[in-house]
Amino acid sequence: MRFFKDLNQSEKWEFFNSFDLVFCDCDGVIWQNLHDALPGSADAVNHLIKLGKKIAFVTNNSLIPSELQLEKFSKININIEKHHLIHPAQSIADYLESLKFNGLILCFGSPAFKAYLQDRGFQLVQGCDGLVGNSIIELRNAIYSTDVVKAVIIDVEFNCTAWKLMRAQMHLKDPECLFIAGAADPKVPFGGHDFIGKNVYAKNNESQDATERKSIVLGKPGSGLRDILLQKFNIQHKNRVLFIGDSLKSDVQFGKMCGFQTMLVLTGATKVRDLEQFAHQHEETGPDIVAESLKDIIHLV
């Protein structure tokens, strides 16, 4: 693990010439909040593009519709193709299409996430977003549905209920029912604090006393997303790819699992104290390069 600011000019050029394709996280790397870009992030991206680096954005955020995300990038003069913005809803839809999936889906996700799947032609179970009554009979009727569900998909759902998780568990008793997870962050930063992430629910369903099923994870840091990226971008030389992110687990460890080089920026989820603690415990899986922010790359070029 090296700090970018400590590299001499020769070492910076050596690093810069070691990759051709860049996968970049969004929140905490490009964006400092829902609307505002981090200073210098757009300039850094455009410098890399001008110098021939291919760039795609890989985010776990499916809360915002793709069109609005692309519009945000356009407003800060980053122009990218829609297929170069990779998010869990897109990865899951691509995966289902590759299987020629045709069936009913019980989906845990944001309105934008669900709308994306529906726009891609998939059918979702309706009427699962409310509360059930206080009687055991109403609870039983809600859990033991007669719907023939062929896939359970879990991503971010702010109003997730216990009865809906129970219903998912019942559907997953069927070995033919797919179990797919989107974003799998163990923790999610919000308002200056870390809260439980989506992977808590996926892990819960993986346990022996629940469904005895393991989800296919198609968001960071899942191996399913790794396979999609390798195929989608026809990556032949993994060591010529750089993954940039602000999370040690969702970004750096994911990049390492993929065989990519990794750069951690300290403008988001990870602070210096977190990095020091992580380095002491996981030195072999730490980032290759640490930068104060993405704008440091401007000095590289």
Side-chain angles (χ1 to χ4, degrees), residues 247-265:
S247 169
L248 287 164
K249 291 190 176 180
S250 295
D251 298 317
V252 172
Q253 288 192 337
F254 174 70
K256 290 286 187 180
M257 178 187 67
C258 294
F260 304 153
Q261 297 185 63
T262 57
M263 171 183 273
L264 177 75
V265 295

Side-chain angles (χ1 to χ4, degrees), residues 73-87:
F73 277 104
S74 180
K75 286 181 178 178
I76 61 171
N77 296 317
I78 296 178
N79 297 310
I80 58 173
E81 300 292 334
K82 188 174 183 178
H83 63 279
H84 282 174
L85 176 62
I86 314 299
H87 54 83

Side-chain angles (χ1 to χ4, degrees), residues 112-133:
F113 185 97
K114 294 174 182 177
Y116 184 91
L117 293 182
Q118 290 175 315
D119 289 344
R120 293 282 294 265
F122 297 105
Q123 184 181 3
L124 309 185
V125 173
Q126 302 298 317
C128 286
D129 298 327
L131 302 176
V132 297

Side-chain angles (χ1 to χ4, degrees), residues 106-268:
L106 177 62
C107 182
F108 296 76
S110 68
F113 185 97
K114 294 174 182 177
Y116 184 91
L117 293 182
Q118 290 175 315
D119 289 344
R120 293 282 294 265
F122 297 105
Q123 184 181 3
L124 309 185
V125 173
Q126 302 298 317
C128 286
D129 298 327
L131 302 176
V132 297
N134 294 321
S135 75
I136 295 297
I137 293 176
E138 288 177 290
L139 177 61
R140 189 186 191 285
N141 290 339
I143 296 172
Y144 291 91
S145 169
T146 58
D147 291 331
V148 181
V149 170
K150 293 298 184 181
V152 172
I153 296 175
I154 295 184
D155 195 73
V156 180
E157 181 165 310
F158 295 139
N159 297 312
C160 180
T161 57
W163 76 263
K164 189 173 178 181
L165 286 169
M166 294 176 187
R167 177 170 174 176
Q169 180 180 341
M170 291 307 304
H171 289 308
L172 289 169
K173 296 291 185 181
D174 177 4
E176 298 299 317
C177 181
L178 300 177
F179 183 23
I180 302 172
D185 310 88
K187 293 182 180 180
V188 177
F190 185 74
H193 299 279
D194 288 338
F195 293 91
I196 58 173
K198 287 74 68 180
N199 118 313
V200 170
Y201 302 111
K203 289 280 187 182
N204 206 17
N205 278 329
E206 288 174 18
S207 64
Q208 291 296 314
D209 58 350
T211 64
E212 300 181 351
R213 298 285 301 277
K214 185 174 182 179
S215 62
I216 301 167
V217 181
L218 297 177
K220 298 179 297 182
S223 59
L225 177 60
R226 172 198 61 195
D227 298 339
I228 286 176
L229 293 179
L230 294 177
Q231 181 179 18
K232 187 181 185 75
F233 291 89
N234 192 28
I235 296 172
Q236 303 297 320
H237 304 287
K238 301 174 186 176
N239 63 323
R240 298 288 304 176
V241 179
L242 175 67
F243 199 102
I244 302 174
D246 68 312
S247 169
L248 287 164
K249 291 190 176 180
S250 295
D251 298 317
V252 172
Q253 288 192 337
F254 174 70
K256 290 286 187 180
M257 178 187 67
C258 294
F260 304 153
Q261 297 185 63
T262 57
M263 171 183 273
L264 177 75
V265 295
L266 301 176
T267 47

Side-chain angles (χ1 to χ4, degrees), residues 32-46:
Q32 59 183 341
N33 54 44
L34 290 176
H35 307 289
D36 301 317
L38 286 157
S41 59
D43 291 336
V45 169
N46 285 318

